[in-house]
Amino acid sequence: MTIPTRNLGTTGPQVSALGLGCMGMSGMYGEADRPEAIHTVHAALEAGVTLIDTGDFYGMGHNEMLVGEALRTAPAHLRDNAVLSVKFGALRDPDGAWLGFDGRPAAVKTFAAYSLQRLGVDHIDIYRPSRLDPDVPIEETVGVVAELVEKGWVKHIGLSEVGPDTIRRAAATAPISDLQIEYALISRGIEREILPTLRELGIGVTAYGVLSRGLLSNHISADRDFAATDFRAFSPRFQGENFRHNLSLVDSLRKIAEQKGATVAQIAIAWVLAQGSDIVPVIGSRTPERLSEALGALDITLDAADLAAIEEAVPADAAAGERYAPAQMAMLDSER
């Protein structure tokens, strides 16, 4: 298939209209199969997906090494098409616990050096702090990434989960290609202030969580038990009455999907795609089958009537529960 492309802002690269997020391939949603994960990355590249997203803290380096292996074993013409987006700065201990974020210039240079080695590349296409370090001005963090750009180690600067003020300060320091942030039918907070700010400044969006950690995939039932290592075991939206309420939203969406001859996941992805050509959904498929389903969303056109029906079925702020547990919500500059 031929995948359409979109530009990440006015200064960023041209990428496939859907990206592949690799976090789930390193245990964030329970056990993952390494050979199948690599096969999925290869399938994505073969299908025309160019944007590949990872983070140095996913599996404490595991994910970067996995992506590096997938690129190394892919045909050269496909490997060369990959646009690597890498998040840095989150701190973890050997048990996997979260320890905060480090945006100091010396730390950023160190993170980049290790990422380049693990990925086996000579540059990172888009490099972004995973969260705002409250103890380091964003100008310092973005400024040191700009130095890496000047030296050729990084091509573009991105941001992740920050609010309007931080976005403006970062953009005043150096060109910003895109903001990576959660955006989905049931996660629409960016529409109030963040998205208008980005569009004013010519900054694109790479939207993660478009299926809301699987809630909008129609592949999860109310009796699902999540492993202790699964993010969803602690996510407010997957607990008790919240979980049952949120699955009822999926039931409403399913009727629309059936009328369109599509799956619920495809409708959820197509809705994000329809919100603007400056938005690139990043899909966390872990198998070629799920990837194929996600790519099918590119063939779906939602007209005004479809969008109105979806809005009625799943209004803004319809979800029960926050998108992260309280301790993690407190770390999000985008939620302040």
Side-chain angles (χ1 to χ4, degrees):
M1 66 181 298
T2 300
I3 294 181
T5 59
R6 294 184 169 187
N7 287 332
L8 289 183
T10 56
T11 66
Q14 186 178 73
V15 299
S16 52
L18 286 182
L20 178 66
C22 299
M23 181 183 73
M25 299 175 182
S26 294
M28 292 295 288
Y29 299 119
E31 292 297 322
D33 184 292
R34 187 182 186 89
E36 187 165 52
I38 291 173
H39 184 197
T40 302
V41 176
H42 288 171
L45 293 171
E46 289 167 2
V49 173
T50 59
L51 181 63
I52 307 295
D53 183 79
T54 183
D56 61 11
F57 53 95
Y58 293 166
M60 289 77 83
H62 174 277
N63 201 244
E64 286 186 321
M65 291 188 286
L66 184 150
V67 170
E69 181 180 349
L71 293 177
R72 187 172 64 252
T73 55
H77 70 285
L78 296 178
R79 179 173 64 248
D80 293 343
N81 290 336
V83 177
L84 287 177
S85 168
V86 179
K87 290 180 289 299
F88 67 85
L91 305 176
R92 304 183 72 177
D93 71 14
D95 291 324
W98 300 95
L99 304 176
F101 304 94
D102 194 342
R104 295 172 301 158
V108 174
K109 291 179 180 179
T110 302
F111 293 143
Y114 283 106
S115 287
L116 290 164
Q117 287 295 315
R118 284 190 291 258
L119 290 163
V121 296
D122 60 8
H123 72 273
I124 295 167
D125 295 289
I126 311 169
Y127 202 44
R128 67 182 83 246
S130 59
R131 298 288 188 269
L132 178 68
D133 182 341
D135 298 321
V136 179
I138 190 63
E139 290 85 352
E140 291 186 20
T141 302
V142 167
V144 73
V145 181
E147 291 180 23
L148 296 174
V149 172
E150 291 177 2
K151 294 182 178 181
W153 299 115
V154 170
K155 297 298 183 183
H156 303 279
I157 305 171
L159 299 171
S160 178
E161 288 287 358
V162 292
D165 179 64
T166 302
I167 293 167
R168 291 185 184 280
R169 290 167 54 197
T173 303
I176 304 297
S177 63
D178 66 305
L179 171 71
Q180 187 171 113
I181 194 165
E182 187 167 356
Y183 187 40
L185 267 168
I186 61 173
S187 298
R188 296 171 59 176
I190 72 168
E191 294 175 348
R192 290 187 288 271
E193 294 184 58
I194 292 175
L195 190 55
T197 301
L198 296 172
R199 287 175 169 163
E200 175 192 336
L201 299 173
I203 297 171
V205 177
T206 43
Y208 75 87
V210 297
L211 295 181
S212 301
R213 319 289 183 175
L215 263 177
L216 299 180
S217 70
N218 198 33
H219 298 306
I220 296 178
S221 61
D223 59 356
R224 173 76 174 269
D225 288 325
F226 299 104
T229 55
D230 192 317
F231 169 90
R232 294 167 293 191
F234 308 97
S235 171
R237 290 183 175 175
F238 289 83
Q239 310 304 312
E241 286 302 319
N242 286 355
F243 191 23
R244 284 182 282 275
H245 168 81
N246 293 332
L247 287 177
S248 73
L249 299 176
V250 178
D251 290 336
S252 300
L253 200 58
R254 186 182 300 112
K255 298 173 184 176
I256 298 171
E258 290 172 352
Q259 293 172 357
K260 296 290 291 184
T263 68
V264 172
Q266 288 169 340
I267 292 296
I269 296 167
W271 181 88
V272 176
L273 285 165
Q275 301 313 300
S277 60
D278 53 349
I279 300 173
V280 176
V282 177
I283 307 301
S285 303
R286 296 196 292 174
T287 68
E289 292 74 23
R290 291 287 182 261
L291 173 67
S292 179
E293 179 184 11
L295 292 175
L298 294 167
D299 296 324
I300 298 171
T301 300
L302 299 176
D303 60 23
D306 295 326
L307 292 170
I310 292 170
E311 182 74 23
E312 182 178 357
V314 187
D317 301 320
E322 300 284 2
R323 56 195 182 100
Y324 285 98
Q328 292 174 302
M329 285 292 289
M331 299 178 183
L332 298 178
D333 182 66
S334 55
E335 294 288 340
R336 297 193 178 101

